[in-house]
Amino acid sequence: MRAGIRISSLVPSGLVIESVSDSSDSIIIAVRAESGVAGCPLCGARSSRIHSRYDRQAADLPCAGKEIRLRVITRRFVCEVPHCRRRIFAERFGDDVLPSRSRRTARLDCIVHHLGLVLGGSPAASLAKLLMLPVSSI
């Protein structure tokens, strides 16, 4: 009997899979936000007018002995409120999914954070390497 993994279970909630690329040591999953609108970080107005898109790279929890890398397709929106100083803004994914300017998903960051608290510097880095969790040497 063959046991399969649903690809959607590899992606944090709130993100939708666009494409999947598999190699011998990693899985690259292109994802985008589920919602079609985003709120301006300054005035809070919702906008659906897309200005452009760009890609972000984020590390996620490993699965089945493979590193999972997310290629997050981030959209830039136009704020249509006349008195708002922010004309163009990038969509936010929420601190429970992918914090702003983060290179790790929130669930990976939580595990790395707790490893650091329990074990401390070098032992935590060694265990993280055994668990295939990407961490920096600093």
Side-chain angles (χ1 to χ4, degrees):
M1 184 168 136
R2 181 180 159 147
I5 296 175
R6 289 182 328 168
I7 294 294
S8 62
S9 66
L10 300 177
V11 177
S13 62
L15 299 176
V16 177
I17 298 173
E18 288 285 314
S19 66
V20 178
S21 171
D22 189 13
S23 68
S24 62
D25 61 341
S26 67
I27 300 172
I28 300 171
I29 305 173
V31 296
R32 63 173 173 79
E34 204 169 33
S35 174
V37 297
C40 176
L42 283 183
C43 68
R46 313 271 298 157
S47 176
S48 60
R49 187 171 158 207
I50 297 172
H51 177 272
S52 59
R53 290 175 176 80
Y54 68 96
D55 290 348
R56 278 175 68 180
Q57 298 291 326
D60 198 15
L61 296 172
C63 179
K66 291 189 176 193
E67 175 187 6
I68 303 292
R69 289 184 289 169
L70 298 179
R71 187 175 64 91
V72 184
I73 302 165
T74 307
R75 297 172 292 185
R76 289 187 182 105
F77 287 87
V78 176
C79 183
E80 296 176 329
V81 175
H83 66 278
C84 184
R85 293 180 301 149
R86 174 93 32 111
R87 304 306 305 155
I88 298 169
F89 62 91
E91 64 186 330
R92 307 283 198 267
F93 297 98
D95 289 338
D96 58 334
V97 177
L98 186 63
S100 297
R101 299 182 179 94
S102 177
R103 294 183 184 256
R104 293 191 287 232
T105 60
R107 59 189 188 181
L108 174 61
D109 196 43
C110 180
I111 291 174
V112 171
H113 173 77
H114 285 90
L115 274 176
L117 288 177
V118 172
L119 298 175
S122 294
S126 298
L127 182 58
K129 186 175 182 180
L130 289 173
L131 295 174
M132 296 181 63
L133 300 176
V135 293
S136 65
S137 60
I138 298 174

